[in-house]
Amino acid sequence: MPTDVPRDLINVLLVEDNPHDRVAFSRALRKSQTPYQVTEVSNPEEALAILDSNRESFDIAVIDYYLPVFDGLQLFKIIRDRGHKFPVVLQTGAGSEKLAVIALKSGVNNYLIKDDEGGYSGLLPLVLTNEVRRHREMLSRLWAEEALEESEIRYRFLLDTIPDPLVVYDPAGRITFANEAFLTTYGWSKEDLLRGPVPFVPEDEVGKTEDAWVRLLAGEKVCFETKRFTKDGRLLDVQVNTSILRDLRGRHTASLVIHREITRLKQTEEALRVSEEMHRAVMDSSPDPIIVYDIEGKVVYFNRAFTHVFGWTLEECRGAKMNAFVPEDSWPVTRQLLAKVLAGESFSGIETRRYTQKGNVIFVSLSGSMYRDRENQPAGTVAIFQDITKRKLIEKALLENEEQFRYLAELSPFPISIIEANGNYSYVNQKFVDVFGYNLDDIPNGREFFRLAFPGLDYREEIISIWFKDLREGVIGEARSREFMTRCKDGNLRNIVYRPVTIRGGKQFITYEDITARREEEKGRDDLIAELQTALAEVRTLSGLLPICAACKKIRDDHGYWTQIETYIRAHSQVDFTHGICPDCARRLYPELDWDEEKIIDQTSAPV
């Protein structure tokens, strides 16, 4: 609804230079049952300043004709030129019929003479109320007309962009609309369809179609499979979906019929099945637990690694929610991540906890994203877990005991470093040196490490910005996870996951994980998928009817030439041939030779 429709309280702008007339105006409105709020100004400049600073805040303006600087009609024209659409009433203490005519012709909504003998004080609230009411009705009507026009445009656009053939019939069975997909699929033009019935229902399908119409008119939504002719005589197998459109009184106004070619649908379903099997094979080969939910949060699939780590099987969990494996204190973060994913964002490397089927608590690094259906609508979510319990236990032990830290850090399978609050490195373990090649002499502080590990200026500045943002927003004791491409001392680039934790005193305790091999494995899986898709696309099959000679068994090709059957099949498929001779032909062609069954088999088994 437009924002400038008047409210119960009528907000009035009064432009009147005579203070006695302003008092009389307010006194007249106070006698009315309708509540008014009056903003009084004494000159046109003040009125325009208020309007420019508070646009559309007034329901009506009342302007005196005789004003300083310029008159009320000139002020009215300026108000309209500046886009204010509220009604305006012009009033004067010395009016004339000529002035009233000029004012109304100029577009002023009404004209009043400030004459109490003429009933000014009683007439004023009635005029204001009526003008506001008429203005509100006009705005409501305009809004309704615009809404109806927009709705009609959206309706036509929606129908015309539906990919399936769609046709609309009136209650008498006449076609009133057909979308582009219908015209393209069946070949008739809109003029053909509007002229009258087209012969696209086969004779043996008439009974099924009439029965469907009877059920449709009885209030059913009918879906059935049938056949339809195209304009050029081709016969299509289609699925027909029908429904009735009714007005607000429940009267039948139109019938909506959507056609879908079943052959194309089945081909799509088969391609989807192959794609799903291929992706499922890739997910089943992943060492990380993967779980797929539908949009309601129910389990659709999880891989073998999920069963191995958490204990549940897909058979016992399919169609159920996995609320049981989220600890109570992990739910706030889990709900935030779920909202993020459903909003279309993805996340990775979020550390949290999960229960196993046996009730044990394990630490996991969680990544998630949303997947969409063929109509690009949200269909569900995918979560990938990494069991980081061992790493978390190591990190906890390191933070609890400084003496144990040194011992455990050197045994850690992960690189570890400590950066003091002043930015200087105070410790790196041997695994850090093994992975990066840098020791404390090479990297006395974080600035030097960033310079060596990220030589590209733009990339380095981006990483430093992310790092300091995490420092500002992070919580003491909370690990943050970031993956950066890092150059080691030997010049090699590695995919490294950085997990800094701010500890007391402003120190940064950082563990690193080299996931280069994992990223290469993921790339290998992507390449394998691409190869499988390419191989699938190159497979050729023979189908349909082949004209073959009953005598010599030659096949007539698409150009009308007769070729040997093995030549034709070799050219149209991936099949090759070997040649031998069967026992019957051997005895018929070479009767003078001694042919026994085993000898014939031995002599004709090798490819020629």
Side-chain angles (χ1 to χ4, degrees):
M1 207 53 187
T3 57
D4 53 358
V5 174
R7 303 164 297 279
D8 291 335
L9 174 67
I10 296 180
N11 197 2
V12 183
L13 173 64
L14 173 64
V15 187
E16 173 62 69
D17 60 335
N18 188 317
H20 298 291
D21 288 346
R22 291 200 295 270
V23 171
F25 183 91
S26 297
R27 185 184 299 119
L29 291 186
R30 281 197 296 270
K31 295 178 182 179
S32 171
Q33 294 182 351
T34 302
Y36 290 89
Q37 177 176 308
V38 181
T39 301
E40 299 178 356
V41 296
S42 60
N43 58 72
E45 292 91 340
E46 190 178 354
L48 293 174
I50 290 178
L51 288 174
D52 289 342
S53 64
N54 198 9
R55 182 179 292 271
E56 304 297 350
S57 62
F58 295 102
D59 299 313
I60 191 167
V62 179
I63 303 174
D64 186 35
Y65 177 72
Y66 294 103
L67 293 171
V69 183
F70 48 83
D71 63 38
L73 272 180
Q74 291 175 300
L75 176 58
F76 164 73
K77 292 176 181 178
I78 294 173
I79 288 174
R80 286 291 185 259
D81 289 342
R82 295 190 180 184
H84 299 283
K85 300 183 183 302
F86 48 73
V88 174
V89 175
L90 190 70
Q91 64 178 12
T92 178
S96 66
E97 184 177 338
K98 181 179 179 181
L99 177 60
V101 171
I102 293 173
L104 294 175
K105 283 187 175 181
S106 298
V108 172
N109 296 84
N110 216 320
Y111 180 86
L112 285 173
I113 297 177
K114 295 181 288 185
D115 177 13
D116 275 336
E117 294 180 2
Y120 169 76
S121 61
L123 189 61
L124 176 63
L126 293 177
V127 169
L128 298 189
T129 302
N130 286 338
E131 291 301 333
V132 171
R133 177 181 54 79
R134 278 199 292 267
H135 185 64
R136 176 172 56 193
E137 291 173 352
M138 179 195 68
L139 291 177
S140 297
R141 185 173 62 255
L142 290 175
W143 175 80
E145 291 171 354
E146 290 174 1
L148 179 61
E149 183 178 353
E150 290 177 4
S151 175
E152 189 73 22
I153 292 172
R154 285 197 300 268
Y155 171 74
R156 289 283 177 173
F157 177 78
L158 176 64
L159 295 185
D160 220 18
T161 54
I162 290 177
D164 290 320
L166 178 146
V167 64
V168 179
Y169 296 88
D170 66 14
R174 294 183 295 265
I175 293 177
T176 59
F177 174 81
N179 68 354
E180 286 299 322
F182 188 93
L183 304 178
T184 302
T185 300
Y186 289 103
W188 279 287
S189 67
K190 288 185 178 180
E191 291 72 19
D192 294 333
L193 299 174
L194 295 176
R195 272 196 297 267
V198 293
F200 83 132
V201 180
E203 186 176 344
D204 54 355
E205 294 292 323
V206 170
K208 184 189 295 185
T209 303
E210 290 177 347
D211 177 66
W213 276 110
V214 171
R215 292 163 54 202
L216 177 66
L217 295 175
E220 292 186 46
K221 286 188 175 180
V222 182
C223 175
F224 64 100
E225 293 182 7
T226 182
K227 298 179 185 294
R228 290 293 183 265
F229 281 121
T230 63
K231 187 174 182 179
D232 59 8
R234 291 178 295 114
L235 189 62
L236 302 181
D237 289 296
V238 295
Q239 182 187 72
V240 176
N241 290 272
T242 64
S243 59
I244 281 198
L245 304 179
R246 300 183 184 276
D247 61 17
L248 295 177
R249 298 181 180 180
R251 295 176 300 188
H252 175 196
T253 59
S255 300
L256 189 69
V257 181
I258 300 175
H259 296 235
R260 177 167 293 177
E261 191 174 348
I262 297 173
T263 304
R264 186 186 311 164
L265 176 63
K266 289 185 176 179
Q267 289 173 345
T268 303
E269 289 175 345
E270 177 63 16
L272 179 61
R273 184 190 64 79
V274 172
S275 174
E276 288 178 345
E277 287 186 359
M278 186 164 55
H279 284 86
R280 183 160 298 186
V282 172
M283 287 192 290
D284 266 338
S285 66
S286 171
D288 295 325
I290 300 175
I291 185 168
V292 180
Y293 300 98
D294 63 18
I295 199 64
E296 296 179 353
K298 297 178 181 178
V299 174
V300 176
Y301 165 83
F302 51 68
N303 64 352
R304 287 192 290 266
F306 187 94
T307 300
H308 175 72
V309 171
F310 293 101
W312 283 283
T313 64
L314 180 58
E315 288 70 23
E316 60 187 341
C317 297
R318 183 184 279 115
K321 294 189 175 184
M322 291 295 289
N323 296 341
F325 91 135
V326 181
E328 188 64 32
D329 57 358
S330 296
W331 267 112
V333 173
T334 300
R335 291 190 180 96
Q336 291 176 6
L337 296 176
L338 181 59
K340 187 174 183 178
V341 168
L342 293 177
E345 301 179 47
S346 59
F347 63 88
S348 64
I350 302 299
E351 296 185 1
T352 182
R353 300 184 306 150
R354 290 294 182 267
Y355 283 123
T356 66
Q357 190 180 35
K358 293 181 179 179
N360 299 323
V361 176
I362 64 173
F363 291 91
V364 295
S365 175
L366 176 60
S367 301
S369 62
M370 179 174 65
Y371 65 93
R372 297 177 179 273
D373 59 21
R374 283 174 288 182
E375 284 73 39
N376 201 35
Q377 296 300 312
T381 59
V382 178
I384 303 176
F385 302 84
Q386 284 183 294
D387 184 356
I388 59 170
T389 304
K390 292 181 181 179
R391 176 169 63 78
K392 294 297 291 185
L393 291 175
I394 292 173
E395 291 174 356
K396 180 180 178 182
L398 291 174
L399 292 172
E400 286 176 349
N401 192 312
E402 183 69 22
E403 291 182 1
Q404 292 181 6
F405 159 72
R406 295 284 175 173
Y407 175 74
L408 293 174
E410 292 304 321
L411 295 179
S412 170
F414 301 100
I416 295 174
S417 70
I418 294 179
I419 303 178
E420 300 297 323
N422 62 6
N424 293 331
Y425 279 91
S426 61
Y427 174 78
V428 296
N429 69 348
Q430 185 58 45
K431 190 66 176 179
F432 183 98
V433 178
D434 294 342
V435 171
F436 295 102
Y438 305 118
N439 56 34
L440 288 178
D441 293 332
D442 299 317
I443 49 169
N445 53 53
R447 182 184 300 275
E448 188 63 19
F449 175 76
F450 281 150
R451 187 185 69 79
L452 295 173
F454 311 111
L457 179 60
D458 291 343
Y459 188 45
R460 181 165 67 245
E461 289 180 348
E462 177 186 349
I463 292 173
I464 291 174
S465 174
I466 294 172
W467 193 274
F468 281 102
K469 179 177 180 293
D470 287 346
L471 278 177
R472 289 193 303 271
E473 299 177 357
V475 178
I476 291 179
E478 180 182 273
R480 306 176 299 279
S481 181
R482 295 286 188 179
E483 179 182 340
F484 302 128
M485 183 65 72
T486 307
R487 188 180 74 171
C488 300
K489 189 173 183 179
D490 60 8
N492 289 328
L493 294 175
R494 294 180 177 274
N495 296 89
I496 303 295
V497 175
Y498 292 66
R499 297 186 178 90
V501 179
T502 301
I503 56 181
R504 296 186 183 278
K507 292 183 179 181
Q508 293 286 301
F509 174 81
I510 309 172
T511 60
Y512 310 79
E513 183 178 0
D514 184 358
I515 61 169
T516 306
R518 187 193 310 160
R519 289 290 181 254
E520 291 175 351
E521 178 186 342
E522 291 172 353
K523 184 178 182 301
R525 287 203 301 266
D526 292 341
D527 292 342
L528 175 61
I529 291 172
E531 290 174 6
L532 289 172
Q533 290 174 332
T534 301
L536 186 63
E538 290 176 352
V539 172
R540 294 183 293 175
T541 59
L542 283 174
S543 63
L545 298 176
L546 293 177
I548 185 169
C549 177
C552 66
K553 306 304 180 183
K554 287 183 178 180
I555 293 176
R556 189 180 65 209
D557 62 19
D558 296 336
H559 303 289
Y561 296 103
W562 294 90
T563 59
Q564 293 290 341
I565 186 170
E566 58 269 29
T567 302
Y568 184 89
I569 293 177
R570 187 183 295 115
H572 290 78
S573 71
Q574 302 274 333
V575 175
D576 208 343
F577 287 86
T578 64
H579 289 80
I581 189 167
C582 70
D584 292 338
C585 291
R587 294 189 186 95
R588 180 173 57 81
L589 296 173
Y590 306 102
E592 70 279 5
L593 299 179
D594 180 19
W595 296 101
D596 59 69
E597 195 74 22
E598 292 183 0
K599 184 184 296 183
I600 292 172
I601 293 172
D602 291 340
Q603 293 178 353
T604 61
S605 60
V608 179

